[in-house]
Every structure is written in C-alpha cells, then in structure tokens.
Amino acid sequence: MSVKEDVLRILNENKETYLSGAQIAEKLQISRTAVWKAVKSLNEEGYNILGMNKRGYKMSMGDDIISNEGIDKFLRKDVADAVQIETFKNISSTNTVLKQRAAEGEREWLILVAEEQTAGRGRMNRKFYSPSGTGIYISFLLRPKFLASESLMITTMAAVAVAETIDEILVQGSSLNQTTQIKWVNDIFYKGKKVCGILTEAAINVENYKLDYAIPGIGINVKAPEGGFPDEIKDIAGALIDDCDDKSVNDELRNRMIARLIEKMYDYYQNLEQKSFMKTYKEKSMLIGKTVYILDDETKEPLYVEGVTDRAELIVRHEDGTMENLQSGEVSVRLF
Ligand code: BTN
C-alpha cells in the first residue's frame, strides 16, 4: 500500500473525527510532511478531507469516490480474498482494457472499475456515455468452463446481480417504492428509464468451442450528471438518484454498490449451471405480457410476449397464434 492509500484508510476508518497530523504520522511511521502531502494529493483527486489548524484532518461523510479501500470496507472477506480489483480515475473502457489483459493471460476474477470512461462502449457498436463521478463502470474477467453457446448465462446472471444490488441498497428500507425491472435481454430499468446497460464480450477457443474468456461489462447511471444526459439519450436514460446533494444517500454509495455487486456476481457464478438467478430474471422481466416488434422487421408485426425460457429466450406469440422463441444474439425488440 502507498502512503496515500494508508492515510486514506486511516481517515476512512475514523470518519467525521479529527486526527492530528502527528497521530497519523505515528500510526504509519512516516513524517508529518508526508501526511500533509498525501492529504493534499487526495484532495486533488476529489476527496473531501478537511484540515484544521491544531485539530488535524478529518474525512467528511458524503464522500463517494470509488477506491479499493472504499470497496474493501464493504466486501465480504472470502470474496475479497478471491478477486483482484483495480480502480481507475479514468480509463478508455474497462472492457477494452480487460480484453487486452485477458489476452495476456490474466487470471479469472480480475475486476476493473472506473470513475470515468473516455471511450465507453455499448452494444451494437454504440458509445456508452460514461461521465466522471456519477456512474459505475465495471468489467469482470471470467474464464467459464462451458460451451460458448451458454455464454448468454453470464449476461443474464449479471443483469440479475445488478438489479438485486440496486433493490437491496437503494430501494428496500427506503421511501423509494419502485423496484428495478429487466428489459430483455440485459437492460436494467428503474422508474421507466434505463439506468444500466451490460456488454458481454467473449473469446472462443476454436478447438473445443469453449470460452477462453467472457467479460461482462456493466455501466450503471447512479446519479444524474450535472446538466442532465446528452440529447441523444435523454429520453431513454435515467439515473437512480436525482438529488446528488443528499449526503445520507451518497455516503460511499458507489463503493457499497460495487462491493455488493461483486459479491452477487461471485456467488451466482459459483453455481452458474443451477441458474438460480433465472427465477428473479423472469419475475423482473418487464416485457412479459407486453406487445413488441422486432427492430429489423419492416412489417412491424406485433408479437405478444408470453414469457422467458430458462435459456433466456423470449417466448412470443405471432398474430396467427404460432409461438416462437427469440434469441437475443439474433434480434432486438422494441415495445409497441
Ligand atoms: C449497452 O447498454 O449498450 C451496454 C453498455 C455497457 C457499458 C459498460 S460500462 C463498463 C464496460 N466498459 C465499456 O466500455 N462498456 C461496458
């Protein structure tokens, strides 16, 4: 751990309490100047550490900067021991960088998390808007042992893990009474707006048709960006929290959410073949009982959604009464 990380840890453990420079210096066996320098540089990174003559330094509540220490504080020990987390202030795209690392032979459960992406990517070659300080941009390196045809299970599992994390941390026990919904195949909606997208990328070993790696990349709009979302996405995109000044909600919110999301991904992945997440996936599927059309279908034939299969296919009824299972890799649907 660097001096900066050590100072951050101590201030974090003593939130809202002043610690003198001498106290911190003694705990860490460093000079008071080194403490002062570490605090200065942390504040430049966006932390909110107050310094008062004679009293020392304190970390205020309401800080919500993504950091390894912040995540570790909330992460279950067995999971913390099994994963390797790297946090970035900014990055091109957590998926792009993790794909490179995967190709270089990195271990399973390397997780990259960023405060900001400068080249965030979405499905169908779209860009993913990833401003600083408001979202969670996270990618997981997995090396599943199953056939590539099963890879949709990773995306489905991730969608449920995100939806449950949001419900547990933000909705349950609060005055917010709506829970998240999943729009087939892997968009998370909250109060009618898309608050999370998932892009899973994989490499296949052509000798055995097994996956070499799968990288589910998750982008969550936690807080509304200042000035709102850009025009191109403002009708569809939403954030979980509109009031960014609410300190009680904000306190380390994103670190808490990241830790819970990692735990859920980890637990579901251990028993992936049991597909225990499919029950929640079906319950939360917002298209069931609705009428949709296939995006590329010029006739826009109305299709009634009857349900979702255990393989995450959408069960639809055509106008003539025939049934069909739609696969997400092949089609995209829109609500009528
Ligand atoms: C979509 O809605 O089209 C999928 C969006 C996926 C965004 C996440 S953010 C973390 C990871 N890195 C990326 O560049 N994309 C994914």
Side-chain angles (χ1 to χ4, degrees):
M1 255 192 195
S2 68
V3 170
K4 208 165 67 179
E5 285 167 337
D6 281 333
V7 171
L8 183 60
R9 178 179 46 80
I10 289 178
L11 289 168
N12 246 328
E13 286 166 2
N14 295 279
K15 272 210 159 158
E16 293 296 309
T17 311
Y18 276 103
L19 293 178
S20 71
Q23 276 174 309
I24 302 174
E26 197 192 317
K27 273 186 207 263
L28 297 177
Q29 295 292 296
I30 55 174
S31 69
R32 281 162 59 187
T33 315
V35 175
W36 176 82
K37 274 192 190 154
V39 169
K40 184 165 174 284
S41 133
L42 286 167
N43 276 339
E44 280 163 9
E45 280 176 30
Y47 286 91
N48 189 11
I49 301 165
L50 299 178
M52 287 262 278
N53 264 343
K54 300 214 172 84
R55 297 183 72 184
Y57 305 104
K58 82 165 182 181
M59 173 84 95
S60 292
M61 297 290 271
D63 262 321
D64 185 32
I65 306 252
I66 295 173
S67 68
N68 278 63
E69 302 74 38
I71 298 168
D72 273 352
K73 215 166 108 182
F74 299 102
L75 195 58
R76 229 171 56 212
K77 172 92 174 56
D78 61 310
V79 181
D81 289 345
V83 304
Q84 182 189 330
I85 303 170
E86 293 184 17
T87 51
F88 297 81
K89 205 166 151 46
N90 56 51
I91 194 167
S92 55
S93 146
T94 50
N95 262 40
T96 307
V97 174
L98 198 51
K99 272 181 6 180
Q100 286 156 5
R101 303 275 295 269
E104 286 158 18
E106 280 283 359
R107 52 163 283 197
E108 183 170 59
W109 285 109
L110 172 61
I111 301 169
L112 306 187
V113 198
E115 278 277 356
E116 177 184 19
Q117 295 186 119
T118 50
R121 295 185 295 113
R123 293 176 71 215
M124 296 182 247
N125 286 329
R126 296 200 187 102
K127 288 184 183 154
F128 187 76
Y129 179 60
S130 317
S132 174
T134 58
I136 294 173
Y137 316 110
I138 181 167
S139 300
F140 298 78
L141 172 52
L142 305 175
R143 295 194 184 274
K145 303 274 178 293
F146 49 69
L147 290 173
S149 52
E150 291 289 311
S151 58
L152 185 57
M153 280 306 115
I154 302 275
T155 303
T156 316
M157 159 187 116
V160 173
V162 173
E164 288 184 339
T165 297
I166 296 171
D167 287 350
E168 267 181 43
I169 293 188
L170 275 172
V171 181
Q172 286 157 16
S174 81
S175 55
L176 305 169
N177 50 15
Q178 279 194 44
T179 50
T180 48
Q181 289 190 297
I182 300 172
K183 179 176 170 289
W184 187 77
V185 56
N186 55 8
D187 288 342
I188 311 297
F189 273 64
Y190 184 63
K191 292 191 194 159
K193 291 275 175 98
K194 174 173 165 176
V195 291
C196 167
I198 302 172
L199 169 70
T200 300
E201 298 184 286
I204 296 166
N205 181 331
V206 283
E207 274 166 24
N208 56 14
Y209 292 100
K210 290 198 170 157
L211 287 173
D212 179 25
Y213 65 76
I215 298 181
I218 299 170
I220 310 175
N221 305 329
V222 179
K223 301 170 198 170
E226 250 181 59
F229 288 96
D231 283 349
E232 320 83 84
I233 56 169
K234 71 168 192 275
D235 290 338
I236 175 123
L240 294 167
I241 296 176
D242 295 322
D243 180 7
C244 295
D245 295 327
D246 184 345
K247 296 270 191 273
S248 63
V249 181
N250 271 346
D251 188 36
E252 297 199 71
L253 174 64
R254 287 180 303 157
N255 286 326
R256 266 188 292 148
M257 286 181 69
I258 293 166
R260 194 69 190 112
L261 176 60
I262 293 174
E263 287 173 0
K264 284 191 173 287
M265 290 285 284
Y266 188 81
D267 289 345
Y268 279 137
Y269 187 71
Q270 303 313 309
N271 301 299
L272 197 64
E273 64 290 346
Q274 286 167 21
K275 299 184 184 174
S276 53
F277 44 86
M278 274 320 287
K279 184 172 175 290
T280 311
Y281 186 86
K282 291 177 190 178
E283 284 165 4
K284 283 186 165 290
S285 284
M286 65 187 257
L287 295 185
I288 297 178
K290 304 256 166 53
T291 306
V292 299
Y293 64 93
I294 293 175
L295 201 57
D296 291 338
D297 175 13
E298 279 165 14
T299 68
K300 278 202 177 180
E301 183 200 351
L303 302 169
Y304 181 78
V305 181
E306 295 275 2
V308 174
T309 70
D310 280 339
R311 295 174 58 83
E313 295 149 334
L314 200 66
I315 309 168
V316 296
R317 182 165 25 93
H318 287 265
E319 282 189 302
D320 64 4
T322 55
M323 305 292 290
E324 191 184 356
N325 291 352
L326 303 180
Q327 290 179 0
S328 73
E330 292 162 12
V331 290
S332 244
V333 295
R334 289 283 178 277
L335 272 172
F336 251 105

